[in-house]
């Protein structure tokens, strides 16, 4: 039995769009922070059953729902030559599919457990490639801290790695306006954006430039610069979706109210930069030193929302029981 734990990550410079849907090769690099909290725990056990079975949060998934997991398992069987099926149980601690990166943690934990169960012997880079086959953002949750996912041009060259952040210790406040499942999955949203948005090309070109600028800010430890680039990447990603037919709008009026509040918070002298993913929730980048103040300010302003905090966490790993 192989059990692994992984945590979600929040992208500062975003991933939105694939050049290869099979291999999940993204159109641009992305840069993220792995959270310290909201773990997914996944256990993989090989079995002599004919089919893979997957139980997520106590519910057995249908065959259609397990398609993405089977991509990861099939690759493991191909690499190992071990044809056995897998019996998988996985538990999330964060709302699934609500734009809070549950799939990133889920597939990073799955790839880590699968590497052990099928004795693949992959290093973290290899596990990141395996996780990518399930969900693009999962390649980043294999690593802790600040992470860059290189878009690459094939399976081998598209992987994530840790990068050194040379600035103050970072933290995030998540203003959770809704825990409901999103109406449009990231995958469908990306495809629609590529196929119908006249802004998609501009998004890809400009976001890859933001990656390079962010890498310079990361090396210099310039948080104000990194925060501004984070907000630009967020807005440009959502702008590309707004140009789709029909338009994809994950941000609600309430989301914009929170965005305004973050700007106000910054005007009051606190470190706060906002980002948002495929849902209405706003994630606020700040420092560990200011976390309590930023959290108190936001929870007072938005009592109707759940305000969660997180420091920066470790990458996916086997639990001690599995290692022993
Ligand atoms: C990100 N998102 O960089 C971006 C920002 C959502 C918005 O990665 O199709 O679940 O499985 O590769 O990784 C969410 O997309 O999509 C995501 P697939 P994934 O965090």
């Amino acid at each position: 039995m192989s059990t692994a734990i992984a945590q979600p990550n929040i992208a500062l410079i975003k991933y939105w769009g694939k050049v290869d849907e099979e291999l999940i090769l993204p159109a641009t690099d992305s840069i993220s922070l792995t959270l310290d909290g909201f773990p997914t725990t996944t256990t993989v056990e090989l079995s002599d059953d004919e089919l893979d079975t997957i139980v997520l949060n106590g519910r057995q998934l249908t065959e259609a729902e397990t398609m993405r997991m089977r991509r990861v398992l099939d690759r493991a069987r191909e690499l190992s030559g071990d044809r056995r099926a897998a019996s998988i149980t996985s538990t999330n601690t964060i709302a699934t599919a609500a734009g809070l990166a549950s799939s990133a943690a889920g597939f990073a934990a799955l790839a880590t457990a699968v590497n052990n169960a099928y004795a693949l012997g992959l290093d973290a880079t290899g596990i990141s490639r395996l996780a990518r086959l399930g969900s693009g953002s999962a390649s980043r949750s294999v690593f802790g801290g600040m992470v860059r996912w290189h878009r690459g041009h094939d399976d081998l060259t598209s992987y994530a790695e840790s990068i050194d952040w040379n600035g103050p210790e970072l933290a995030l406040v998540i203003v959770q306006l809704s825990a409901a499942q999103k109406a449009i999955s990231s995958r469908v949203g990306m495809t629609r954006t590529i196929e119908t948005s006249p802004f998609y090309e501009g998004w890809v070109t400009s976001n890859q430039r933001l990656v390079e600028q962010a890498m310079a800010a990361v090396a210099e430890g310039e948080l104000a610069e990194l925060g501004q680039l984070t907000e630009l990447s967020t807005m440009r990603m959502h702008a590309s979706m707004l140009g789709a037919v029909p338009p994809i709008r994950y941000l609600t009026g309430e989301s914009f109210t929170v965005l305004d509040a973050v700007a106000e918070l910054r005007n009051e002298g606190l470190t706060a930069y906002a980002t948002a993913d495929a849902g209405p929730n706003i994630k606020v980048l700040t420092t560990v030193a200011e976390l309590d103040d930023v959290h108190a300010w936001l929870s007072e302003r938005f009592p109707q929302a759940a305000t969660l905090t997180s420091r920066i966490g470790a990458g996916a790993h086997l639990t001690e029981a599995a290692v022993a």
Side-chain angles (χ1 to χ4, degrees), residues 156-194:
L156 208 62
T157 52
S158 188
Y159 59 86
E161 68 178 357
S162 290
I163 54 176
D164 286 330
W165 162 243
N166 293 317
E169 218 181 317
L170 300 173
L172 287 149
V173 179
I174 299 166
V175 183
Q176 188 178 329
L177 298 167
S178 164
Q181 286 221 358
K182 53 201 166 203
I184 305 169
S185 73
S186 296
R187 196 156 292 196
V188 169
M190 286 183 202
T191 306
R192 191 191 295 172
T193 307
I194 293 168

Side-chain angles (χ1 to χ4, degrees), residues 39-43 55-58 89-94:
T40 292
T41 305
T42 299
T43 297
V55 175
L56 175 62
N57 296 329
T89 52
S90 187
T91 313
N92 282 334
T93 49
I94 199 159

